[in-house]
Amino acid sequence: MQEDIRDLVLGFFGAIGADIAGTDDGTHIIRVPESHRRVFGSQELRVAFDRDIYPEHGCELVVPGSRILSQVIEICTNKGPVKVKRADDSGTNGTIRYHFFMRFSGRSDMILMDHVDVELTLGSDTDISSGGDGAGALDWMDPGEVTRTYSAALKELQKRHDGASFAFLRDANRKFGGDMKMFAGKYDLRVRELDDSIKHKDREANDSDRVREFRFQAADKMDALEEEKKSLMDTMQKKHRVVLSYELVACEVILH
């Protein structure tokens, strides 16, 4: 995952025109363009993608949840950068690489990054040599290919991480079931105590009017407990709500 993070972050800064310099110690110095300095709060960033390097050089570690990665992902999800890469001997074949940021959230969080490559279907008369790398670099692409390849990439991504999502859901359901059992047990105990008090009153009291009044009061308390239980159950279900999010953060069109 750290390789995907490094590719995404360095690719992003390259796409916005930042100067990026690698150092002998494994860190990277990034001179942020003026247009993005307010977002990142600095004109120069020193970053590392390796946890072993980070403590020794006083730089910012870029990992899931870090400030810089979160800012890059937020910009990407709003603007969706597309990078076109051409091999020196570009022929008539193309691949589109979709980069995804996955967050499984609930009572706990799981963060993943991955990319999926999908082959482009090109017509025999498609001229991919035109367009350069600027705004018109993708004029040759059939818009329907974007829909097809994105759907295929998302399906492959979900299949690839099916085990992780299943394990996350299983753990979330286990936690929810445990909390519900404990929660329901407390209310059921209070209802049984009220029920037992009614039976005890029936056995011990001689005044039928007072017994009847006590029974009505206990029944009202039971109804109030049931309403309170329903309300708190709704709150608990919202608290345990699980969201599996697959966000597209960037893509590359690779011509070869």
Side-chain angles (χ1 to χ4, degrees):
M1 180 169 62
Q2 280 302 109
E3 291 182 5
D4 281 329
I5 291 175
R6 182 177 62 249
D7 291 345
L8 172 65
V9 172
L10 295 183
F12 167 81
F13 280 108
I16 65 172
D19 291 329
I20 305 171
T23 64
D24 294 337
D25 57 27
T27 63
H28 291 79
I29 298 175
I30 302 171
R31 290 193 58 81
V32 183
E34 187 173 351
S35 59
H36 287 74
R37 288 175 185 173
R38 185 175 62 83
V39 176
F40 292 97
S42 175
Q43 65 179 9
E44 185 173 286
L45 304 172
R46 186 182 179 93
V47 301
F49 301 93
D50 189 327
R51 294 180 185 274
D52 295 330
I53 294 175
Y54 152 70
E56 300 178 6
H57 301 285
C59 53
E60 187 162 353
L61 179 64
V62 182
V63 294
S66 65
R67 178 184 67 90
I68 290 178
L69 179 60
S70 297
Q71 289 168 326
V72 168
I73 288 173
E74 183 178 356
I75 295 171
C76 287
T77 52
N78 289 331
K79 297 188 177 179
V82 178
K83 179 69 174 177
V84 178
K85 294 183 177 180
R86 296 176 183 271
D88 293 336
D89 56 346
S90 293
T92 57
N93 297 316
T95 300
I96 187 163
R97 174 173 293 174
Y98 291 99
H99 293 269
F100 290 93
F101 179 76
M102 294 163 281
R103 182 188 294 274
F104 302 161
S105 59
R107 291 297 302 276
S108 60
D109 280 341
M110 177 183 291
I111 295 174
L112 302 165
M113 288 192 69
D114 202 355
H115 68 265
V116 179
D117 291 349
V118 182
E119 291 295 319
L120 289 168
T121 301
L122 304 178
S124 58
D125 58 345
T126 301
D127 181 11
I128 66 175
S129 63
S130 62
D133 294 323
L138 298 177
D139 286 349
W140 51 266
M141 184 184 291
D142 179 358
E145 277 294 276
V146 177
T147 302
R148 181 191 70 81
T149 55
Y150 175 75
S151 298
L154 182 59
K155 185 179 295 185
E156 169 60 26
L157 182 81
Q158 292 172 330
K159 179 181 177 182
R160 186 183 298 175
H161 295 280
D162 184 62
S165 61
F166 176 79
F168 187 85
L169 289 170
R170 181 184 59 197
D171 184 61
N173 287 332
R174 181 182 58 79
K175 290 178 181 177
F176 177 70
D179 284 356
M180 280 297 296
K181 183 177 180 180
M182 180 175 64
F183 166 78
K186 290 181 179 179
Y187 276 87
D188 291 344
L189 176 61
R190 292 168 68 182
V191 170
R192 285 197 301 270
E193 289 174 346
L194 285 171
D195 189 53
D196 289 342
S197 67
I198 293 174
K199 294 176 181 178
H200 178 76
K201 199 73 172 179
D202 284 340
R203 289 194 303 267
E204 300 297 328
N206 295 321
D207 189 333
S208 59
D209 290 337
R210 294 187 61 182
V211 170
R212 184 166 49 255
E213 181 182 356
F214 180 80
R215 187 181 295 116
F216 288 148
Q217 291 174 348
D220 289 341
K221 289 180 180 179
M222 288 182 183
D223 290 340
L225 280 174
E226 188 62 29
E227 289 300 317
E228 182 181 351
K229 180 180 177 180
K230 289 179 181 178
S231 175
L232 290 177
M233 281 180 66
D234 289 341
T235 301
M236 183 174 293
Q237 287 176 333
K238 293 177 182 177
K239 186 177 180 181
H240 282 268
R241 188 171 71 98
V242 172
V243 176
L244 305 182
S245 173
Y246 302 84
E247 297 180 6
L248 176 66
V249 294
C251 67
E252 301 170 275
V253 176
I254 305 166
L255 304 177
H256 51 86

